[in-house]
Amino acid sequence: MRRKVIAGNWKMNNDLSGSISLISAIKNGLSEKGTDNLVIIAPPYTSLETACALIKDTEIKLSAQNMHFEESGAFTGEISAGMLKSAGCEYVILGHSERRTIFSETDEIINKKLKKALSSELLPIFCIGETLEERESGKTNSIVERQISSGLDGISESDFNKIIIAYEPVWAIGTGKTATPDQAQEVHKFIRNLIEKIYSKNSAEKCIILYGGSVKPDNSAELLSQNDIDGALVGGACLKSYSFLEIIYSV
Ligand code: 13P
């Protein structure tokens, strides 16, 4: 039985005081009932160290939203895996569609980042997903297959087992258009079959595959009840403690 994972990607939202308020409210909500789900938050870089101190002694885990693949050097404005580790991160989101489209990250760059995260003992949340145009021209599976096989190129099975995959159809991100539970399940099943082909049935069965794209309290229960959907990577709805908590408690 795979554990359900609810991760909140804050994107470029919340300064330090906003982060403290949001984390405190999430902590309060969770301390009342507890949860068996794995809860991960990904605040902006500037709040990571404070977030780490605030979630100490709770079940909440800390993620960054991105990192560079080099350890150090002349990369103005970038952050390394070692820096994220020292700020208290356990996870890092890599390959988010906003990184791919706005910041021109290629499958090759994402592959380097995945390898660097793994060798630095950060657990990657590896994002993939097709655009609307790709879906409408029937290319969803081929795009997802390319992103997965290029992203995982040269990554051993034991390292792969540390990766969480997040399927986020680009057309559903921030648009209010959620994939239907059937649409999402179909792609998640396809991804799991792909993992079986690349690695093994055992790794495919163990692999946690999150869905992301306009996940809200009113659609999370149905999405997360699908066989191959193991949780959610939440954007907009994770910025309010009540909606993030509702999603956590909907499974
Ligand atoms: P929204 O939930 O705002 O659609 O964002 C999803 C996302 O991109 C999470 O990484």
Side-chain angles (χ1 to χ4, degrees):
M1 187 63 181
R2 295 180 295 270
R3 190 176 180 195
K4 293 284 189 217
V5 178
I6 309 294
N9 175 9
W10 295 15
K11 308 192 180 183
M12 196 170 73
N13 293 290
N14 284 317
D15 60 11
L16 206 47
S17 72
S19 301
I20 293 169
S21 307
L22 181 52
I23 293 169
S24 306
I26 297 169
K27 262 171 66 175
N28 281 344
L30 288 176
S31 69
E32 282 168 28
K33 291 195 265 176
T35 179
D36 291 333
N37 301 332
L38 173 59
V39 177
I40 304 172
I41 56 168
Y45 293 134
T46 47
S47 296
L48 289 174
E49 200 182 338
T50 302
C52 176
L54 288 171
I55 62 177
K56 197 168 170 273
D57 304 324
T58 73
E59 290 298 290
I60 306 169
K61 306 286 183 192
L62 189 62
S63 176
Q65 300 174 17
N66 182 34
M67 54 162 244
H68 197 267
F69 52 78
E70 294 291 353
E71 186 56 45
S72 63
F75 302 99
T76 302
E78 292 292 334
I79 300 273
S80 72
M83 293 168 188
L84 296 181
K85 287 284 291 179
S86 75
C89 289
E90 277 183 67
Y91 293 84
V92 60
I93 297 173
L94 295 174
H96 192 280
S97 68
E98 286 148 20
R99 300 296 320 170
R100 292 178 189 261
T101 54
I102 307 170
F103 301 98
S104 309
E105 288 192 11
T106 59
D107 290 324
E108 197 190 355
I109 292 174
I110 294 157
N111 174 252
K112 283 189 190 173
K113 291 187 174 193
L114 284 165
K115 287 178 175 160
K116 183 64 190 175
L118 289 162
S119 68
S120 309
E121 295 178 354
L122 275 172
L123 303 170
I125 301 175
F126 168 36
C127 303
I128 52 165
E130 83 288 1
T131 63
L132 184 60
E133 196 189 348
E134 289 160 348
R135 171 162 285 263
E136 285 177 345
S137 54
K139 290 189 192 143
T140 300
N141 288 358
S142 62
I143 294 294
V144 163
E145 182 160 6
R146 190 209 73 220
Q147 290 172 333
I148 294 241
S149 55
S150 314
L152 296 177
D153 188 40
I155 292 179
S156 69
E157 183 160 5
S158 61
D159 269 347
F160 169 74
N161 290 330
K162 299 171 191 153
I163 296 177
I164 292 177
I165 293 179
Y167 168 60
E168 300 202 304
V170 179
W171 49 272
I173 295 178
T175 58
K177 279 189 209 161
T178 324
T180 64
D182 284 350
Q183 278 175 323
Q185 163 60 24
E186 199 183 319
V187 183
H188 279 235
K189 178 87 198 144
F190 175 77
I191 295 168
R192 207 174 295 286
N193 289 341
L194 215 52
I195 299 304
E196 181 171 342
K197 270 195 252 160
I198 300 174
Y199 294 106
S200 66
K201 193 172 176 57
N202 183 37
S203 285
E205 277 168 5
K206 279 196 297 202
C207 178
I208 291 179
I209 309 175
L210 310 182
Y211 170 78
S214 296
V215 175
K216 306 267 180 299
D218 62 6
N219 61 24
S220 56
E222 205 186 349
L223 280 164
L224 273 58
S225 65
Q226 302 298 307
N227 276 346
D228 290 289
I229 303 185
D230 305 312
L233 182 54
V234 186
C238 79
L239 297 173
K240 296 277 180 258
S241 59
Y242 54 83
S243 48
F244 191 51
L245 287 163
E246 258 190 79
I247 294 169
I248 294 169
Y249 286 119
S250 68
V251 286

